Amino acid sequence: MTLCTEEAAHAQPSSRGPPEAEPSTRAMIGRDEELRILRRLLADAADGRGGALLIHGTAGVGKSALLGTVGAEGTEAGFKVLSAAGVETELWMPFAALQLLLQPAADGIGKLPSPHRTALVDAFSATQTEPHIFRVALAVLELLADEADRQPLLLLVDDLQWIDASSRDVLRFVARRTRDLPVLIITASRLHAPDSYDPSAQPDLPLQPLALSAAAELLDAGAPDLSAPIRALILERAEGNPLALVELPKTVQDMATQLDDLPLTQRLEDAFAARTDSVSPGCRTLLLALAAEPNAPLNRLLDVASRLRDTAVSVDAVQEAVGAGLVGMVGRTLRFRHPLMRSAIYTRATVPDRLATHRAIAAAMADAPEHQLLHLAAATLGPNEELAAQLERFAETALARGKLASAVPALRQAAELVQNTRRRTEILVRAVESASEINDRVHTQLLLGRADMSELGPLERARLMVVSDKAAFEPDDPHRRIEDMVTTAAGAFDTGNVRVAENLLWRAAARCFFQDGDVRVRTLAAAELDRWNPDPDAPVVLTVRAYTEPYRHGAEVIARLDALRPDHQDGRIMHFLGSGAMVLGDVTRAARYLSLAAAVWRSQGRLGLLARSLAGSWPRVYLGQLDRAREESGEGLALAEETGEWIVWLGVKATGSLVAALRGETEAAARMLGELRAHRLFPGMPFAAVMAQQVEGLLALFDGRATEAYEVLARAFDPADPHYHSVSRWLLAPDLADAAVAAGTVRQARELLDGLPELAVRLPSEMMMVAQAYTEAVLAPDDTAEERYTAALAALPAGWALARARMHLHHGRRLRRRRRNVDARNPLRSARDEFDRIGARPWAEMAREQLRAAGESSGRRHANTSDRLSAQEMQIAVLASQGLSNREIGQRLFISHRTVGAHLYRIYPRLGITSRGKLAAALSALHDGHPTADSPGADTG
């Protein structure tokens, strides 16, 4: 890990020393627009509106120069600047970058509340248990928020592509939460891969080579005495790369080798390496030691160089390297002027010199066993079973302490040192599992690529399939994938490892729901579970049966769920049972169990699992809890993006769109629907497609396009249509009935719903009961309608407030059509009031129109809380009204306590109050829909 000290490639050089010696005097050439963007971000952050930006471009294009310039300007503007940069040697070292980045703010760690202080101390300790990544991330956020309260912060992180995964995840977490803080995070990377490296959801800034005029100006500023032919040749070969324009002229005497047809990066490395030819052997040895261990203290580097030279290497060698423009001093630490210098020096060294250097560094690092072992591995050619065993023992100790991130690099190196390919693969499987457990998708994929699949036994194959399913859930050829997973689970079960087998079979069953597996693969998965003769009440068994064959096992699963008394504090059990209930349409239980699971994951800081449990926002829609569904789907969406839970993302994005449609927020619903359909995983995911079709149908229905609404919704009931889902389609049955009545297609709707009564017997879930009761009443002929409405209202589950209000609306509408206006008013009032309470504006307005047509005036609805506050503001307001402190709210919602305070500052005037103590009364009055005459939003029309 190195501080940001890349040569200011296209800064005008100072005659008094290296460019970074006087950053405030730099004049950037050809980067006016980029500097304008960065200065605007600095100004916003200074005003308390933080942000994040990723700068990306090829090596030498000037990313570090921009970081250096904005760092200097930030310092002059009163910012405290924290900076770090990644190096390849520490890519696998957990929290290495973060520890260095936070060094200038380390004094603040001791002032943090105990949970945050402990998380950081444990993360940076070699001996303590490793805390969960998001506990560390929240602690870092609070540390930075406290620091920024005294002085605005600018975080500069260079070479992000080499930052260790743990530090990168923390940066991503913090970058998403800087909006209300005077904190600006600017990162730079050679790569642009948002899924892997982009730490935020903020815009990125691609850095292009300089235009010809700017390139010529930079070249002339640094090398004004070049001959015309050499100048033209450098301009041509540099291709607008600022670093090349600065460095290539320094080797003009060797132009034949420096300006050949090699790739630009290699030409630059050769140019850097050539500059070491003139320094002393002691200086070259020191530089090689620095290239092998860039984060080593200077005294240790001198000690290593002295051992290698067998004579004292003094600080004179350091001065020699600085004078040659190869390194710079940052405090008491040596840093290469550019990452290409490090790689050039390392690759130019002979193999014996590299091996000797790594051995000498290992001997000097007895106090850092993790680094020592990795250097011993780097000093080894070919297999070394003894060292591999040492690395495995280190990994086992780390795993026993819960330090999964530390175990991964040790296992990776151990795998490279064993000769037996089967044993190598077994070690890689363990490394892959550990990387997957900490949600490190980048290293998971790298390690998966190194495993020799031909050497896998049935258990290893199953373990890797579990990991690959977590790392990349692709929609391609779903039935073949499900079959492979079931077959592999069977092999794992036959080896005696029931845990792995169950995990894989559950994942196969989940695909049967998400991708609506056909009858063959559903039967295959269910039959494999039957072969195991499992405990019929085990949560995983109930969930697999719900996912695979809901119409066969639905009645039994629901009966067993009724009889179970599960441990509500066990998040895993609550999630299994909640997700199983959700896919069956057992909505009330699903919402309750998933809420309990979410509470557990929230308390543990396990954001990926929390995102999954927040999928329980979908059932809340049908329970009429639109405000809570909006809050939970919004939070779930942010967490799914943050943790890469893209299947969850599809579900909560669809839920958010549905909630927006029901609240009458047409533009927001349509926008979210477009984002849902555009996601790369959407095709082949019927569970999301059927939800998207529901939103489109409702938007058309609310807009008065009844025929279009019916056609859209009817497609979800066509097995040949990509929007069809064999189970979830029944949630759309009430919407289909509404559209059929409005479009005059009642007969066609009855035909589409013909099989519903039989399936409702086989799967007696709330979803099926509501679908049958609602459609039988709404689509009933006039002569039986009254008794059907009475029966339907009695049959509706108690919590299904939305369906009940809709039933009242239809009943009142039918009575009014039969000129029974007086009789119609009572159900229409009930519908209006319930829709107002829920916040379902389109239906509330329909009820008002019907009431007016029945001869009763009805004023406009009162504004309620959710009209004035965003989803997150609602969460904060409710928690604050319950007496939680800002820090407690921040810990619960994974945001800074200062962000909580900023939100409350905006919330009070919107609710017409001035203090925290009045929150409860204000929320209660608005929730009840009875604001006082002079309250904001009181509008009786």
Side-chain angles (χ1 to χ4, degrees), residues 40 52 54 80 146 206 238 241 411 414 454 569 583 830 889 906:
R40 186 185 70 240
L54 169 69
K80 181 172 186 174
D146 286 347
N241 184 285
L411 290 170
S454 66
Q569 301 304 312
V583 302
S830 297
I889 296 171
R906 293 190 289 265

Side-chain angles (χ1 to χ4, degrees), residues 26 146 238 878:
R26 294 176 183 171
D146 286 347
V878 169

Side-chain angles (χ1 to χ4, degrees), residues 787-849:
E787 61 187 80
R788 293 296 181 114
Y789 277 118
T790 301
L793 287 168
L796 290 180
W800 282 63
L802 196 58
R804 189 172 302 277
R806 292 173 67 179
M807 189 77 73
H808 284 307
L809 174 59
H810 271 283
H811 189 199
R813 180 182 281 150
R814 186 188 290 262
L815 290 170
R816 196 189 62 75
R817 284 202 307 267
R818 301 192 70 183
R819 302 185 184 280
R820 296 171 57 184
N821 286 345
V822 174
D823 293 336
R825 293 171 188 168
N826 196 43
L828 289 173
R829 281 191 217 104
S830 297
R832 177 200 60 192
D833 293 345
E834 190 65 6
F835 286 138
D836 278 349
R837 185 191 67 79
I838 291 170
R841 299 174 196 166
W843 277 315
E845 290 308 311
M846 289 181 194
R848 282 182 167 78
E849 289 173 9

